[in-house]
Amino acid sequence: MEDIDIARNTELEKITEIGKKLNISEDDLECYGKYKAKISNSVYQKLKNRKNGKLILVTAINPTPLGEGKTTVSIAIADGFSKIGKKSILALREPSLGPVFGIKGGATGGGHVQVAPMEDINLHFTGDIHAMTSANNLLSSIIDNHIYFGNELDIQEITWKRCVDLNDRQLRIVNTGLSGEKNIVPRNDGFDITVASEIMAILCLAENIDDLKQKLGNIIIGYNSKKEPVYAKDLKAEGAMTVLLKDAIKPNLVQTLEHTPAIIHGGPFANIAHGCNSIIATKMARKLADYVITEAGFGADLGAEKFLDIKCRKADIKPDAVVIVATIKALKYHGGIEKDKIQEENIERIKKWNEQSI
């Protein structure tokens, strides 16, 4: 049976019931249908004196293009704790449409080990990434609008890019401002994928909405003729950007197929940012359950390293345990097997990888 069939044949609990397992009242949930909800940021303030739960980080050896199953292992651990009567919760990243529609596919686990509703989470979910795209591109439009109306800040070099949450390589470098309108200055621009944007990284490192606004204001958008940095706050853009992100900053609550609570919030790529879910979500999760299972993107030498060096330092947290996922397919891949032959048995390539690693 396919993953999607397993997910669709599983009867989910209403999200308000999942909230009750965490002692979250309906008044503190903003429901997006029956099975998704935003958690009010006031929940953390209500629970700030509660003892923190144990934090378990899931990472992996060097990944393959097919993924290593960190999310599946994370879900399985959370379900396992729940099965033996422990109060557990997941704190994971939101999937990007780029990988979802690429080789890697969705990011909600597989088989009977999934977070749900799978299609919603993998697609538009609660609109967080759309909001980040809008905030990012609003800043771009404000920059060009400022230049159009006289360029009082003397912006001469623009380092800020637009973004879209798709793998659209054709837009990585584009010529803009070709309309011929008076005062419009043609220039080279480009689009990043939204989850690789500074907006995504900032939202996931923000402690609250005031901190978010301050960090947005400190974005460097370019330089003036004296090579001095120009900030988003110089354009007075941070307030409008924050308004667009007022809901996106709230963590999302869903569930596993075993009805274990899961917070899925934020999704920066580990190769461009810190590769972890939001600080707000992790801190809230530690107040809601005795065991919090989270993951870091890519392998231990990238995602886990950034988790420890960036997120832990910024949030003043540390994992109580670390789980490293090591799969046979990854050992074969790093031993030199082509991607389309990974499913074939090849003990010699596993031995070769082991010899290379010693």
Side-chain angles (χ1 to χ4, degrees), residues 56-106:
I56 301 167
L57 172 67
V58 176
T59 183
I61 63 172
N62 290 350
T64 71
L66 303 174
E68 290 319 295
K70 294 189 301 296
T71 302
T72 304
V73 170
S74 300
I75 298 167
I77 293 171
D79 281 342
F81 274 118
S82 182
K83 192 74 172 179
I84 62 174
K86 304 296 183 181
K87 192 175 184 180
S88 65
I89 191 171
L90 283 157
L92 304 176
R93 293 179 297 166
E94 297 181 48
S96 161
L97 291 181
V100 165
F101 287 109
I103 294 174
K104 197 168 184 180

Side-chain angles (χ1 to χ4, degrees), residues 216-233:
L216 293 173
N218 288 335
I219 290 172
I220 294 176
I221 62 92
Y223 299 87
N224 62 23
S225 59
K226 297 179 181 179
K227 301 299 181 182
E228 297 168 333
V230 180
Y231 298 91
K233 60 187 175 185

Side-chain angles (χ1 to χ4, degrees), residues 264-283:
I264 298 184
H265 190 228
F269 283 171
N271 61 334
I272 197 70
H274 58 293
C276 315
N277 67 297
S278 73
I279 285 176
I280 289 175
T282 300
K283 285 192 168 184

Side-chain angles (χ1 to χ4, degrees), residues 11-275:
E11 186 175 346
L12 300 178
E13 294 183 358
K14 289 185 177 180
I15 200 63
T16 50
E17 295 301 312
I18 299 298
K20 287 178 182 178
K21 293 182 179 181
L22 301 170
N23 297 318
I24 300 176
S25 70
E26 289 190 30
D27 290 339
D28 286 322
L29 291 177
E30 299 173 12
C31 294
Y32 285 63
K34 295 180 180 179
Y35 308 116
K36 301 171 291 181
K38 287 278 185 185
I39 306 174
S40 170
N41 286 319
S42 63
V43 169
Y44 181 77
Q45 293 302 318
K46 294 176 182 178
L47 302 174
K48 64 180 180 181
N49 294 322
R50 181 180 292 182
K51 181 181 177 181
N52 286 322
K54 300 289 187 181
L55 183 60
I56 301 167
L57 172 67
V58 176
T59 183
I61 63 172
N62 290 350
T64 71
L66 303 174
E68 290 319 295
K70 294 189 301 296
T71 302
T72 304
V73 170
S74 300
I75 298 167
I77 293 171
D79 281 342
F81 274 118
S82 182
K83 192 74 172 179
I84 62 174
K86 304 296 183 181
K87 192 175 184 180
S88 65
I89 191 171
L90 283 157
L92 304 176
R93 293 179 297 166
E94 297 181 48
S96 161
L97 291 181
V100 165
F101 287 109
I103 294 174
K104 197 168 184 180
T108 55
H112 293 277
V113 186
Q114 299 185 52
V115 284
M118 181 259 276
E119 301 108 303
D120 292 0
I121 296 168
N122 277 322
L123 297 176
H124 306 283
F125 202 16
T126 56
D128 292 347
I129 297 180
H130 294 314
M132 295 176 209
T133 302
S134 295
N136 185 103
N137 294 339
L138 172 65
L139 179 55
S140 292
S141 66
I142 290 174
I143 294 167
D144 289 321
N145 203 49
H146 177 84
I147 294 171
Y148 178 86
F149 283 105
N151 197 10
E152 183 180 339
L153 294 174
D154 186 29
I155 302 171
Q156 298 299 317
E157 179 186 355
I158 299 172
T159 56
W160 187 255
K161 289 186 176 182
R162 288 167 163 82
C163 70
V164 61
D165 192 41
L166 294 167
N167 286 335
D168 197 340
R169 289 177 173 82
Q170 197 75 5
L171 294 178
R172 290 181 179 177
I173 299 177
V174 296
N175 292 323
T176 65
L178 304 180
S179 67
E181 294 177 63
K182 183 180 178 182
N183 297 332
I184 286 186
V185 181
R187 64 180 177 86
N188 286 333
D189 200 346
F191 285 74
D192 291 325
I193 191 167
T194 301
V195 285
S197 68
E198 194 169 344
I199 301 293
M200 172 64 82
I202 285 173
L203 184 134
C204 288
L205 290 174
E207 296 276 358
N208 51 56
I209 197 160
D210 292 329
D211 187 36
L212 173 66
K213 183 178 180 180
Q214 181 181 25
K215 283 178 166 59
L216 293 173
N218 288 335
I219 290 172
I220 294 176
I221 62 92
Y223 299 87
N224 62 23
S225 59
K226 297 179 181 179
K227 301 299 181 182
E228 297 168 333
V230 180
Y231 298 91
K233 60 187 175 185
D234 295 328
L235 292 161
K236 297 179 175 57
E238 71 272 27
M241 295 166 69
T242 304
V243 168
L244 285 174
L245 298 171
K246 67 180 180 64
D247 292 320
I249 197 173
K250 301 172 186 176
N252 306 296
L253 180 65
V254 288
Q255 62 189 289
T256 72
L257 299 187
E258 296 288 333
H259 314 306
T260 302
I263 293 179
I264 298 184
H265 190 228
F269 283 171
N271 61 334
I272 197 70
H274 58 293

